[in-house]
Amino acid sequence: MVKTNKLPIIPVVVCLLIVTGLIILLLPGPVSADPLQLPNVNLQVGGSQDKPQDISATLQLIILLTVLTLAPAILILLTSFTRIIVVLSFIRSSLATQQMPPNQILIGLALFLTFFVMAPTFQEINRDALQPYMKGKITQQQAYSTGMKPLRAFMLEQTREKDLALFVKMSHIERPHNFNDIPNYVLIPAFVISELKTAFQIGFIIFIPFLVIDMVVASALMSMGMMMLPPMMISLPFKILLFVLVDGWNLVIQSLIASFG
């Protein structure tokens, strides 16, 4: 039997306690400092009874902040953004390039294309509603009604009658005699599902040529007995080459903008 020298446990513990005590004694004492003074923040909504216009201005500010909070939803659901971003996503999916182009690029391109398509509508809203309201010529209610007219006209032009009839029926309202009788809460969802249907139709057309390339590559690999090689790895360069040779971005964007005409 080979004996191993083991260090006794008790002396080791005693040494650790002595070293710890010395470290505590050598550390500097607590430094006295003034307590941290936090500023008083007081947010109040209201006004004096002598100045009711202060209350009105405060409420207008709250409404403005609410509108700014809902601005992304308004931009997505009431404009051409939905159709554009869905079609661009279909392009990336059909190419099977994973995250290329990145989401930031697709969203940025969709935003600028949305501003391009909606420019006439936004200019009309600015000319007829926003500028007169800023100059005090019309009231807030008149500005809202005037500003919604060109936006409603754009949505009605892009909305299918079948989708519109669906939400009119589900809302249990009286049969509208003209487009002015259709409320916004009926028009907006009908417009959104119409945009989604149109975007999926365009996406299906985009998928067809790339699907043909995948089938040809898969058949070629199977005929050569290379069944372990993923067809997607071989077809990806050919799909990118085809998309570049036909100037795919130019064709897709041109067709996408023309679909709003």
Side-chain angles (χ1 to χ4, degrees):
M1 298 293 295
V2 180
K3 296 182 179 181
T4 58
N5 296 328
K6 295 184 179 180
L7 187 64
I9 299 177
I10 297 179
V12 173
V13 174
V14 173
C15 292
L16 290 176
L17 291 176
I18 294 174
V19 172
T20 305
L22 291 176
I23 292 175
I24 295 175
L25 291 176
L26 293 177
L27 286 176
V31 179
S32 60
D34 296 334
L36 180 62
Q37 298 293 334
L38 296 177
N40 294 326
V41 179
N42 187 12
L43 298 177
Q44 294 182 353
V45 177
S48 61
Q49 297 180 355
D50 298 334
K51 296 181 178 180
Q53 61 272 17
D54 294 342
I55 301 178
S56 178
T58 303
L59 293 178
Q60 290 179 2
L61 180 60
I62 294 176
I63 294 173
L64 178 61
L65 293 176
T66 304
V67 172
L68 291 177
T69 303
L70 300 176
I74 296 174
L75 177 64
I76 290 174
L77 297 181
L78 304 186
T79 62
S80 58
F81 182 83
T82 302
R83 184 189 304 185
I84 294 173
I85 190 62
V86 171
V87 171
L88 294 180
S89 300
F90 269 118
I91 294 175
R92 187 173 66 180
S93 299
S94 60
L95 287 172
T97 53
Q98 302 300 327
Q99 295 297 323
M100 297 303 293
N103 292 329
Q104 294 84 351
I105 301 297
L106 291 183
I107 294 175
L109 178 59
L111 283 174
F112 279 102
L113 291 177
T114 300
F115 294 147
F116 180 82
V117 173
M118 301 297 297
T121 304
F122 289 157
Q123 291 173 1
E124 187 175 353
I125 294 174
N126 181 62
R127 182 184 66 251
D128 298 338
L130 184 58
Q131 292 301 325
Y133 175 71
M134 296 294 291
K135 296 177 181 178
K137 296 181 180 179
I138 58 177
T139 63
Q140 183 177 357
Q141 183 63 29
Q142 291 174 340
Y144 172 77
S145 301
T146 306
M148 282 299 297
K149 288 181 180 179
L151 201 57
R152 284 173 54 88
F154 172 79
M155 289 190 292
L156 285 169
E157 186 179 357
Q158 305 300 327
T159 304
R160 291 179 173 85
E161 294 183 2
K162 182 179 179 180
D163 299 330
L164 195 58
L166 170 66
F167 284 96
V168 169
K169 180 180 178 181
M170 294 178 63
S171 61
H172 302 291
I173 62 176
E174 296 182 0
R175 183 182 180 89
H177 299 286
N178 50 43
F179 289 139
N180 295 327
D181 296 336
I182 302 174
N184 291 330
Y185 68 88
V186 173
L187 175 60
I188 294 175
F191 167 73
V192 173
I193 64 173
S194 296
E195 288 292 282
L196 289 175
K197 182 177 181 179
T198 304
F200 274 69
Q201 290 175 344
I202 299 174
F204 173 75
I205 297 174
I206 292 175
F207 255 101
I208 291 177
F210 300 110
L211 180 62
V212 171
I213 294 177
D214 288 333
M215 294 175 61
V216 170
V217 171
S219 301
L221 292 177
M222 188 174 297
S223 63
M224 291 186 295
M226 304 174 64
M227 290 179 290
M228 298 301 295
L229 185 63
M232 193 69 64
M233 184 181 301
I234 305 300
S235 63
L236 178 59
F238 292 99
K239 290 192 288 186
I240 295 177
L241 179 62
L242 173 65
F243 194 72
V244 172
L245 290 178
V246 300
D247 200 1
W249 288 110
N250 186 289
L251 293 176
V252 171
I253 299 302
Q254 181 180 0
S255 302
L256 188 57
I257 295 178
S259 66
F260 291 100

